[in-house]
Amino acid sequence: MSHPPAKLDINSDVFKLPILEGSVGPKVLDVSKLYRETGYFTYDPGFTSTASCESKITFIDGDKGILLYRGYPIEDLAESSDYMEVCYLLLFGELPTKKEKEKFDHDITYHTMVHEQLNHFYSGFRRDAHPMAIMVGVVGALSAFYHDSTDISDPRQRLIASYRLIAKMPTLAAMAYKYSIGQPFIYPRNDLSYAANFLNMIFAVPCEEYHVSPTLEKAMDLIFTLHADHEQNASTSTVRLAGSSGANPFACIAAGIASLWGPAHGGANEACLKMLEEIGTKDRIPEFVNRAKDKSDPFRLMGFGHRVYKNFDPRAKVMRKTAHKVLGELGIDDPLLEVAMELEKLALEDEYFIAKKLYPNVDFYSGIILKAMGFPTEMFTVLFALARTSGWVSQWHEMIEDPVQKIGRPRQLYTGPTQRKLTPLDKR
Ligand code: SDX
C-alpha cells in the first residue's frame, strides 16, 4: 500500500521521506537519501528504531509476543515440525513436501563429516578452552577446507556452503565437547536423525552402544527449532554486515558465533544458569531482584528482558513446558527449576519489571533443560550457535540475493577534536 511521504522540516526547508509498508509490522521512513538531500545523518545507537534491511524470513511482534518463521507461528512449528523442516522453511521459504524433506534430510546427513585434518585444530587448544572460543576458530577455518563453496556469486556454491554449515556445526560442536573432557571424537552416523546424531556424538563412547533417549532427541530437536532464527538480532546483523563485504560464508558465520557469545545475547543461557546457581534457594531471590533494580549495581537478571519482546517471549513459554516435561521424564528434581519458577513469579509481580516490560526470554529456561540433559554450562551457547546457523545462513542468502544490498557502512556523530596542529615530540 502506498502512502504520501512524511515531511521533515529542517529550518523551514521541507524534505519528503518516503513511507514504506511491509506485509505486517511497523511502517518505515526511507532515509536512504537523507544525507544526500539534507546533509544530515540519522542517529540511532543500538539501532533501536532502525530497520537495517527488508526481509521475508522472520517476523516478531514484541508487544504481542508473536514469532513467525516465514509466517508460521513458532508454537505451531514446535508442535508439528522438526528442525530439518524448519531449516528447509527458513532457507527456501516454504515447508518441504514429504519427498523434499527426505532429500533435504539425506543431503544434510551426507555433509555431516568434517575433513580429517580439522581434528588437528582441536589439539592446538588447551583442554579447558571455552568451546565457543574453539567454535569461532574452527568454523572460520572451514573456509580453508572448502574452497569449492566460497564463491558467493555462484548460487550453487552458496547453497553447498549453507548445507555444509548446517550439517557440520553439530559435528564441530560435539568435537569441542569431547576434546574438553578428553574423550575421543565420535563420528557422525547416517542412520540417525539430526538431533539424535548430535546427541550420539556428544554422549557416546567407543566402548559401548549408546542409545539415544527419544525424550532427549525430541527435546534437543525442539530446542534447535526454538533457536533457529530471530530477525535482525546482534549476531544475525553481524553475519549480514560481514557478508555485505563479500566475505565467504564460513567467515561470516564465525563472526556471528563471536557476536552470539556475549552474555547480553546468546551467552545469557550460560549466564542465567550461573545466576540461578548463585541464587541457590528461593529465600535469596528478593536480594537478587533488588540488585537487578538497583541502578548503581551492574547486575541484571539474566534470561530477562529483550530489545523487542515487551511481552512473554513465545519461545520461553515452550521452553518452560519442555523443562517440566524433560525433568519429569528423566525423573530429575532440580531445585533450580523451583528457583526459576519462583523468580519468574516474583519478577512478573514486581512494579519495576512490569513498568519496564521485562519478561523471561528464550534463555531463561533453556539452561535448566540443557543441564538436565547432561550438557555443561559452557556448551549452552554452542548449542544456540548450532541451532542459529540455519537462520544465519538463510539471512545471509537473502542479503546476497537482495538487489539493493551494498556494503554496510554506517556513519557517526563525531564529537572528537577538530583539526589541530601537531607539535613535534622534541617540543612537547
Ligand atoms: C537473546 O535480539 C534478539 O532477538 C536476541 C535473541 C535471539 O534469539 O537472537 O532473542 C537472544 O539475546 C535474548 C536476550 C538474552 N539476554 C539476557 O537475558 C541478558 C539480560 N537482558 C538484558 O541485558 C537486556 O534485557 C537485553 C540486552 C536483552 C535488552 O536490552 P535493551 O533492549 O538494550 O534494553 P535496555 O538495556 O535499554 O533495558 C531497558 C531498561 C533499562 O533500564 P533503564 O535504563 O531504562 O532504567 O530495562 C532494564 C535496563 O536497565 N533492564 C533490566 C534487564 N533488562 C533490561 N533490568 C534488570 N534485569 C534485566 N535483565
Side-chain angles (χ1 to χ4, degrees):
M1 190 176 162
S2 68
H3 297 271
K7 292 195 178 64
L8 177 64
D9 180 331
I10 303 178
N11 309 324
S12 316
D13 286 336
V14 178
F15 299 92
K16 289 182 179 170
L17 296 177
I19 292 178
L20 309 177
E21 183 170 10
S23 37
V24 62
K27 299 184 190 67
V28 301
L29 295 175
D30 179 349
V31 294
S32 50
K33 297 189 180 61
L34 182 77
Y35 178 58
R36 196 187 313 157
E37 290 171 3
T38 69
Y40 282 74
F41 293 147
T42 58
Y43 179 64
D44 183 18
F47 311 121
T48 52
S49 308
T50 294
S52 61
C53 63
E54 177 183 338
S55 179
K56 297 176 171 41
I57 299 175
T58 293
F59 176 72
I60 303 170
D61 182 324
D63 294 327
K64 297 193 186 110
I66 290 172
L67 169 57
L68 309 177
Y69 288 169
R70 300 282 191 180
Y72 295 101
I74 190 69
E75 297 87 345
D76 296 355
L77 292 166
E79 186 64 34
S80 319
S81 297
D82 68 13
Y83 179 66
M84 283 292 101
E85 277 180 84
V86 167
C87 289
Y88 187 99
L89 173 67
L90 292 171
L91 263 177
F92 301 112
E94 296 297 336
L95 284 166
T97 61
K98 217 164 157 7
K99 222 164 140 19
E100 287 165 338
K101 176 150 188 326
E102 276 159 19
K103 182 167 182 335
F104 186 72
D105 280 353
H106 174 275
D107 292 349
I108 293 293
T109 297
Y110 283 79
H111 275 86
T112 49
M113 268 178 65
V114 294
H115 194 293
E116 198 67 5
Q117 281 298 101
L118 265 165
N119 294 7
H120 302 303
F121 251 93
Y122 289 76
S123 46
F125 290 99
R126 287 174 35 159
R127 290 278 180 181
D128 61 355
H130 194 291
M132 281 298 277
I134 295 177
M135 293 301 285
V136 171
V138 173
V139 172
L142 290 178
S143 37
F145 288 82
Y146 299 109
H147 303 289
D148 62 342
S149 60
T150 52
D151 174 359
I152 63 160
S153 63
D154 175 352
R156 184 169 155 59
Q157 290 197 31
R158 291 203 299 268
L159 204 58
I160 293 173
S162 303
Y163 277 37
R164 279 175 163 156
L165 280 157
I166 292 171
K168 296 179 195 303
M169 282 296 276
T171 311
L172 298 173
M175 289 167 73
Y177 172 63
K178 285 303 200 186
Y179 183 73
S180 72
I181 58 175
Q183 286 187 2
F185 298 144
I186 299 293
Y187 284 104
R189 273 183 38 189
N190 296 343
D191 61 329
L192 297 176
S193 72
Y194 188 88
N197 180 40
F198 174 63
L199 292 170
N200 187 62
M201 292 189 288
I202 287 276
F203 295 119
V205 288
C207 330
E208 60 188 23
E209 266 303 292
Y210 173 75
H211 297 288
V212 180
S213 128
T215 303
L216 294 192
E217 178 180 3
K218 176 90 189 84
M220 191 79 268
D221 191 84
L222 175 62
I223 289 171
F224 289 160
T225 290
L226 294 175
H227 287 83
D229 194 51
H230 213 240
E231 200 209 70
Q232 304 311 319
N233 58 83
S235 53
T236 298
S237 300
T238 302
V239 170
R240 278 179 171 260
L241 195 56
S244 73
S245 74
N248 75 70
F250 305 104
C252 295
I253 300 306
I257 295 172
S259 169
L260 186 75
W261 194 2
H265 190 13
N269 49 22
E270 178 178 350
C272 181
L273 197 84
K274 287 187 172 145
M275 174 191 74
L276 291 173
E277 285 165 346
E278 193 187 346
I279 294 173
T281 52
K282 289 185 195 177
D283 61 315
R284 292 197 63 202
I285 291 174
E287 171 198 336
F288 283 81
V289 169
N290 291 330
R291 279 188 59 195
K293 291 155 59 174
D294 176 0
K295 281 287 150 236
S296 63
D297 187 335
F299 172 77
R300 285 192 164 178
L301 277 191
M302 288 291 116
F304 258 83
H306 199 278
R307 170 62 56 77
V308 178
Y309 289 121
K310 302 306 170 192
N311 198 325
F312 247 100
D313 179 337
R315 302 168 297 177
K317 287 184 185 169
V318 179
M319 278 292 188
R320 187 199 306 127
K321 225 162 63 182
T322 310
H324 281 291
K325 189 167 181 303
V326 168
L327 271 69
E329 289 185 8
L330 295 178
I332 294 174
D333 176 18
D334 185 347
L336 290 185
L337 181 59
E338 303 301 313
V339 173
M341 301 291 290
E342 182 65 13
L343 172 58
E344 176 190 292
K345 180 171 165 295
L346 283 182
L348 293 182
E349 290 165 358
D350 186 288
E351 240 335 282
Y352 173 93
F353 288 83
I354 295 168
K356 292 186 185 296
K357 298 184 179 177
L358 301 175
Y359 288 85
N361 59 48
V362 68
D363 294 306
F364 188 66
Y365 285 100
S366 53
I368 291 169
I369 304 172
L370 295 173
K371 175 173 171 263
M373 294 172 74
F375 290 102
T377 42
E378 293 70 34
M379 280 298 289
F380 291 2
T381 310
V382 173
L383 301 182
F384 195 150
L386 187 169
R388 184 54 56 90
T389 296
S390 53
W392 285 332
V393 296
S394 303
Q395 299 268 352
W396 171 76
H397 259 277
E398 185 177 65
M399 179 213 53
I400 299 279
E401 289 162 358
D402 182 345
V404 301
Q405 83 92 13
K406 54 180 72 163
I407 186 164
R409 207 285 184 210
R411 302 304 302 273
Q412 62 181 9
L413 171 67
Y414 178 69
T415 55
T418 52
Q419 188 163 337
R420 52 184 170 164
K421 217 168 148 12
L422 186 146
T423 310
L425 183 60
D426 56 3
K427 293 197 170 45
R428 266 183 265 154

